[in-house]
Amino acid sequence: MTAQQPLDHFVSKAPFNPATDEKLTPEQERYYMASQWQMVWRKLRRHHLAVVSGVILLLLYLSIFVTEFIAPYALTTRHTDHLFAPPQTIHFVHEGEFVGPFVYGYTYRLNMDNLKREYTPDLRQVNKLRFFCEGDSYRFWGLVEMNFHFVCPARNTEFFWLGTDRLGRDMFSRIMYGTRISLTVGLIGITISFVLGIVVGGLAGYYGGWTDAIVQRSIECIRSFPELPLWMALSAALPVDWSPIVIYFGITIILGLLDWTGLARSVRSKLLALREEDFCTAAVLMGAKPSRVIFRHLMPSFTSHLIASATLSIPGMILGETALSFLGLGLRPPITSWGVLLNEAQNINVVALYPWLMLPVLPVIVTVLAFNFLGDGLRDAADPYK
Amino acid sequence: MFGYVIHRLLVMIPTLLAISAITFLIMQLPPGDFLSTHIAELQSQGESVDMAKIEFLRQQYGLDRSAVEQYFHWILGMLQGDFGYSFEFQLPVTKVVGDKLWLTVIVSVATILFTWIVSFPIAIYSATHQYSWADHGLTLLGFLGLATPNFLLALVLLYFANVVFGTSIGGLMDDRFLDAPWSWEKFRSILEHLWVPTLVIGASGTAGMIRRLRANLLDELQKQYYVTARAKGMPPFRALVKYPLRMSLNPFISDIGGILPSIISGAAVVSIVMNLPTTGPMLLRALQAQDTYLAGSFLMFLAVLTVIGVFLSDLALAALDPRIRLQGGTSR
């Protein structure tokens, strides 16, 4: 990196110890002594898109903890006089005068030609938004009764940032609540497929031979099923009388059970290459058990690769859940995910009249893109010694 | 080459057997069967159920036998071209499936062709003009294509067609051909409607293909043989087409095996959204109604279609790349 300092005693006969004589600056020391993870992080940081994506995902996942606080309304609050209300724009200036964030009220008319509910902004009604205010009550984390929200409409008015659905429920609040379900489906699913992939792939890669052949063939079998129809068949097999929360776990398990094949393959090929390394032979000769060799000696060298490929397979699960729920085979109300919300947008005639029903598409795309970019960056950074 | 083909064909047999076993297992998973669902439905509508008739049907369809027996009955029937009986439509499965399978094949083949035709020039352009603004733009577009789930793309396209043109772009042919026998006119009508589903289903596969071909070509372009060819004064286009392009074509064909399952599963959902008369919507209905044999046959057909597709792509790859046939099918 930096130029080598000339040694001041290069003709000395004294024993030469580079560790004491060749002084590293603190910066150099940090650079040369960095652990693998520090180097991964350093390399990842240079991939700006990956960092931005990571921050977006972090924010999304953090929002899960405070969903009730961010959403202006509760999940099921219905506004019967505001069915299919369009999104309201947040304004700051009213008639040349700064008022702070506010929305105009609605005037409502039912179009008798096509029975469309038409709302027009009423420019006389200036409804200033309130912040850190009291609104619908909820049980925070299922423990504490609270009614504190980040943003609420002015008293006796409504605030629908992204419009409302056919029952007059606020889309923004519902998308926020959907985030919680959609994002965790991917996490639980990936945990299952991670465990399966590592165990099965690890066995196949470490033992080789028959185990490997059997695992390879079964992976081929599973992979030759088109993913979605198989998911559809499995989730259609979930009993109808199960409660929504059990269905939720059922779906995540289905997603995880069929997704491990890719991970198992990459674990296997990495292990096949690594088990020939000297340090592995040394461990075996010293009498380490296979489990110790795999988990203690081999795993650390490709954990970063595993994390990268896991990151790249989470979006597949999120999309899978979205597709299933969209078709009505996945999660069921009252559990609300982005797919469940999109289920309402299935009828193109309704969507043509009320296009904001399609808005849950946006968080899906953003999340999937972010996971892809982050996974790409992680994959590049996974091997920092290259 | 002949030995390789035989080897691959033999490997297919246990694969197909395992697939059929999994399919059957999945079909048996839901508690009850079509008849019990049917009875419950009738009773909830207040209609009386003729138990003798139900018992007759149960015996007729072999639902009273053990699962293992049913499985062998099903699989032996399949080998003889008898795919069982659709309870809901009261017709043999082959009659119900009929054209739908062919339409699925047509849509899948069209999608693969689309993927090739579109990704080929774009990837070459991107690789030869690396880091130009066009390359960045195409890369971004590719990422968007990769990230947008195709059924949502279908929904968005349907919406815009509805709002902008005031027409529906759903369907795979003019309505008048829906039940008409195959004819040249019907085929033309299908071709006219085919581009929208092809575009929608092919988007993500195309994006992935562009990225892989670009990466491969970039690797090849840095190799010495290419540099030598250029240094000796070979015109850029000839130098590109003659060697590096051929080298990077390899994954182009081997990838078909990888993207075919995703094309078929994408097609299933897209056709539900866009109301295409392919296997997708029917599979959904069969699953909802617990029409065991129909759903099972669909799943089986789709899997077989995938296996055959992978087989063909392996053959093409073996024809293209001698290294693969020499390994006798144990390629990793």
Side-chain angles (χ1 to χ4, degrees):
Chain A
M1 246 332 187
T2 40
Q4 301 243 323
Q5 303 293 319
L7 303 177
D8 44 357
H9 60 305
F10 56 91
V11 281
S12 162
K13 293 249 165 52
F16 173 65
N17 182 357
T20 51
D21 291 322
E22 197 176 344
K23 281 274 178 287
L24 291 173
T25 61
E27 275 161 48
Q28 279 174 322
E29 196 151 324
R30 265 206 302 279
Y31 186 82
Y32 289 122
M33 302 295 165
S35 70
Q36 187 193 356
W37 289 107
Q38 282 168 322
M39 290 175 69
V40 168
W41 167 237
R42 202 168 284 156
K43 204 163 171 195
L44 181 67
R45 226 170 31 186
R46 267 185 277 151
H47 199 309
H48 294 296
L49 209 50
V51 176
V52 173
S53 306
V55 171
I56 292 176
L57 286 177
L58 195 67
L59 286 179
L60 278 174
Y61 273 100
L62 284 180
S63 86
I64 288 178
F65 294 102
V66 287
T67 302
E68 289 94 344
F69 170 67
I70 297 174
Y73 297 100
L75 180 60
T76 49
T77 312
R78 292 177 56 182
H79 308 269
T80 36
D81 24 336
H82 290 91
L83 308 183
F84 287 126
Q88 285 173 319
T89 331
I90 299 175
H91 298 269
F92 289 91
V93 180
H94 177 63
E95 290 174 350
E97 200 181 323
F98 183 81
V99 232
F102 71 94
V103 291
Y104 291 115
Y106 290 119
T107 44
Y108 163 72
R109 190 175 75 89
L110 186 63
N111 185 336
M112 288 318 279
D113 290 338
N114 56 3
L115 287 182
K116 182 185 176 184
R117 296 168 183 277
E118 288 178 347
Y119 294 86
T120 37
D122 179 0
L123 293 186
R124 288 160 306 172
Q125 268 190 63
V126 174
N127 301 334
K128 263 188 84 170
L129 296 177
R130 296 176 296 149
F131 289 92
F132 299 103
C133 42
E134 292 180 351
D136 289 345
S137 62
Y138 52 85
R139 289 186 77 84
F140 193 63
W141 294 5
L143 298 174
V144 196
E145 195 80 24
M146 281 172 76
N147 58 0
F148 202 56
H149 291 264
F150 173 65
V151 58
C152 322
R155 283 187 201 289
N156 302 323
T157 62
E158 304 300 347
F159 167 53
F160 304 121
W161 189 39
L162 301 179
T164 62
D165 67 358
R166 73 192 152 86
L167 296 176
R169 294 172 297 193
D170 179 38
M171 284 299 282
F172 177 62
S173 305
R174 286 174 71 72
I175 289 179
M176 287 311 298
Y177 279 95
T179 309
R180 180 178 274 177
I181 300 298
S182 285
L183 290 185
T184 48
V185 161
L187 279 194
I188 301 179
I190 202 70
T191 316
I192 296 170
S193 95
F194 213 82
V195 172
L196 272 175
I198 288 176
V199 171
V200 177
L203 287 178
Y206 189 79
Y207 288 111
W210 270 107
T211 329
D212 186 33
I214 293 173
V215 168
Q216 284 289 93
R217 290 294 91 75
S218 27
I219 288 182
E220 256 165 45
C221 275
I222 295 180
R223 280 180 93 96
S224 55
F225 275 103
E227 217 167 32
L228 263 169
L230 190 57
W231 279 343
M232 279 161 67
L234 279 175
S235 43
L238 296 178
V240 190
D241 47 358
W242 280 10
S243 76
I245 190 79
V246 182
I247 295 277
Y248 165 76
F249 284 111
I251 296 280
T252 50
I253 289 171
I254 288 174
L255 293 177
L257 277 184
L258 297 180
D259 186 82
W260 56 272
T261 51
L263 212 59
R265 276 204 165 163
S266 60
V267 171
R268 172 188 165 274
S269 61
K270 279 268 179 285
L271 271 185
L272 275 182
L274 280 173
R275 70 169 184 181
E276 308 297 331
E277 296 274 340
D278 289 343
F279 68 86
C280 177
T281 319
V284 174
L285 288 178
M286 287 164 92
K289 278 179 293 187
S291 63
R292 184 175 164 88
V293 176
I294 293 181
F295 289 106
R296 180 86 192 110
H297 296 280
L298 297 181
M299 271 290 242
S301 13
F302 62 93
T303 321
S304 51
H305 289 273
L306 284 188
I307 293 177
S309 47
T311 314
L312 282 170
S313 60
I314 291 179
M317 298 207 172
I318 294 180
L319 285 182
E321 183 276 321
T322 311
L324 287 180
S325 307
F326 173 74
L327 295 176
L329 288 173
L331 305 177
R332 301 180 193 146
I335 288 205
T336 305
S337 72
W338 294 330
V340 173
L341 292 177
L342 282 172
N343 186 274
E344 309 226 328
Q346 222 182 23
N347 185 344
I348 195 66
N349 297 323
V350 179
V351 174
L353 290 181
Y354 312 112
W356 53 92
L357 290 181
M358 265 198 326
L359 279 174
V361 170
L362 284 184
V364 176
I365 293 180
V366 168
T367 312
V368 172
L369 262 184
F371 265 119
N372 271 322
F373 286 136
L374 180 66
D376 251 21
L378 279 175
R379 194 173 47 193
D380 290 348
D383 196 355
Y385 300 105
K386 242 194 238 164
Chain B
M1 186 71 190
F2 184 69
Y4 177 76
V5 174
I6 297 291
H7 179 94
R8 284 294 283 114
L9 273 175
L10 286 180
V11 169
M12 261 165 80
I13 296 173
T15 312
L16 287 177
L17 271 178
I19 287 175
S20 71
I22 298 175
T23 310
F24 191 77
L25 195 71
I26 293 172
M27 290 303 121
Q28 294 296 319
L29 273 184
D33 49 40
F34 177 76
L35 287 178
S36 52
T37 320
H38 190 61
I39 296 170
E41 212 167 87
L42 284 181
Q43 277 169 346
S44 69
Q45 288 164 1
E47 284 178 44
S48 64
V49 186
D50 183 358
M51 283 324 271
K53 190 183 162 202
I54 292 291
E55 205 45 51
F56 171 73
L57 285 174
R58 199 175 285 276
Q59 268 177 17
Q60 183 87 11
Y61 299 142
L63 290 176
D64 53 346
R65 280 180 272 175
S66 73
V68 181
E69 266 179 273
Q70 283 188 46
Y71 170 66
F72 281 107
H73 185 76
W74 181 58
I75 199 160
L76 286 177
M78 255 196 305
L79 288 177
Q80 298 160 8
D82 169 21
F83 289 87
Y85 196 82
S86 160
F87 303 121
E88 204 191 354
F89 293 90
Q90 311 269 318
L91 278 173
V93 165
T94 22
K95 284 251 171 57
V96 182
V97 176
D99 283 358
K100 296 192 170 54
L101 192 65
W102 286 113
L103 288 172
T104 306
V105 173
I106 289 180
V107 170
S108 308
V109 171
T111 309
I112 291 178
L113 288 181
F114 169 85
T115 311
W116 273 339
I117 293 170
V118 173
S119 58
F120 193 64
I122 292 185
I124 293 178
Y125 183 87
S126 267
T128 45
H129 299 74
Q130 197 190 4
Y131 300 136
S132 66
W133 64 267
D135 178 33
H136 283 303
L138 288 169
T139 307
L140 186 73
L141 208 66
F143 263 121
L144 268 179
L146 213 57
T148 319
N150 42 26
F151 67 96
L152 294 184
L153 192 62
L155 201 65
V156 173
L157 269 186
L158 278 178
Y159 168 69
F160 278 111
N162 200 317
V163 169
V164 180
F165 305 114
T167 57
S168 166
I169 51 171
L172 197 56
M173 57 189 94
D174 279 342
D175 289 340
R176 62 200 164 97
F177 292 117
L178 269 182
D179 290 316
W182 282 90
S183 63
W184 180 239
E185 296 289 307
K186 180 170 176 174
F187 189 65
R188 275 232 332 250
S189 171
I190 290 179
L191 281 191
E192 277 164 21
H193 284 74
L194 199 57
W195 67 273
V196 186
T198 307
L199 182 81
V200 171
I201 302 166
S204 70
T206 311
M209 189 73 100
I210 290 177
R211 288 188 58 215
R212 270 189 299 276
L213 188 60
R214 175 177 175 273
N216 272 319
L217 202 52
L218 280 178
D219 281 350
E220 292 298 325
L221 285 180
Q222 282 166 9
K223 293 207 172 145
Q224 297 202 337
Y225 69 86
Y226 178 72
V227 179
T228 312
R230 290 297 308 277
K232 286 172 78 178
M234 205 170 188
F237 184 73
R238 234 178 92 81
L240 175 75
V241 174
K242 193 125 171 78
Y243 307 112
L245 198 58
R246 270 182 68 186
M247 285 301 295
S248 55
L249 270 186
N250 207 335
F252 221 60
I253 295 183
S254 67
D255 263 14
I256 293 303
I259 61 175
L260 198 70
S262 74
I263 285 181
I264 288 179
S265 74
V269 190
V270 167
S271 46
I272 293 170
V273 177
M274 301 187 77
N275 198 15
L276 307 181
T278 56
T279 46
M282 206 134 228
L283 172 68
L284 182 66
R285 266 183 56 194
L287 285 173
Q288 282 163 344
Q290 262 197 28
D291 197 345
T292 316
Y293 288 118
L294 187 58
S297 306
F298 270 129
L299 208 57
M300 192 70 205
F301 283 144
L302 293 180
V304 170
L305 215 57
T306 318
V307 172
I308 293 177
V310 174
F311 171 67
L312 290 181
S313 93
D314 276 1
L315 286 195
L317 193 64
L320 187 84
D321 190 340
R323 286 172 297 183
I324 288 173
R325 349 185 238 280
L326 289 178
Q327 289 168 5
T330 47
S331 60
R332 293 275 132 81

